[in-house]
Amino acid sequence: EFRASQEQIINSILEGKNVVTILPTGGGKSICYQIPTLLKKGVCLLVSPLIALMNDQVNNLKEKGIK
């Protein structure tokens, strides 16, 4: 089950719309770009000041075998 607004954000991305999402820490932003990235071809560009969080997420994806 998605948290508030996640499904709308994901669907907008999958529809090819440009999306800017601002959610609080722990608000579930990661799934909003991870699901569309897995379902669509191309590159996902994520701008985030949280380098440590990004490194942690990349490592978790690699552990699951996701490029």
Side-chain angles (χ1 to χ4, degrees), residues 36-45:
T37 299
L38 291 171
L39 295 176
K40 295 182 68 106
K41 293 183 180 181
V43 175
C44 172
L45 175 62

Side-chain angles (χ1 to χ4, degrees), residues 13-41:
I13 294 168
L14 292 173
E15 291 169 5
K17 297 177 181 175
N18 292 324
V19 176
V20 174
T21 300
I22 301 172
L23 297 170
T25 299
K29 294 177 289 292
S30 299
I31 199 167
C32 292
Y33 66 83
Q34 290 173 345
I35 289 177
T37 299
L38 291 171
L39 295 176
K40 295 182 68 106
K41 293 183 180 181

Side-chain angles (χ1 to χ4, degrees), residues 26-65:
K29 294 177 289 292
S30 299
I31 199 167
C32 292
Y33 66 83
Q34 290 173 345
I35 289 177
T37 299
L38 291 171
L39 295 176
K40 295 182 68 106
K41 293 183 180 181
V43 175
C44 172
L45 175 62
L46 173 69
V47 179
S48 172
L50 304 172
I51 301 299
L53 176 62
M54 292 188 319
N55 286 333
D56 182 58
Q57 291 171 344
V58 168
N59 290 336
N60 286 330
L61 290 170
K62 285 181 180 178
E63 287 175 10
K64 294 176 180 160

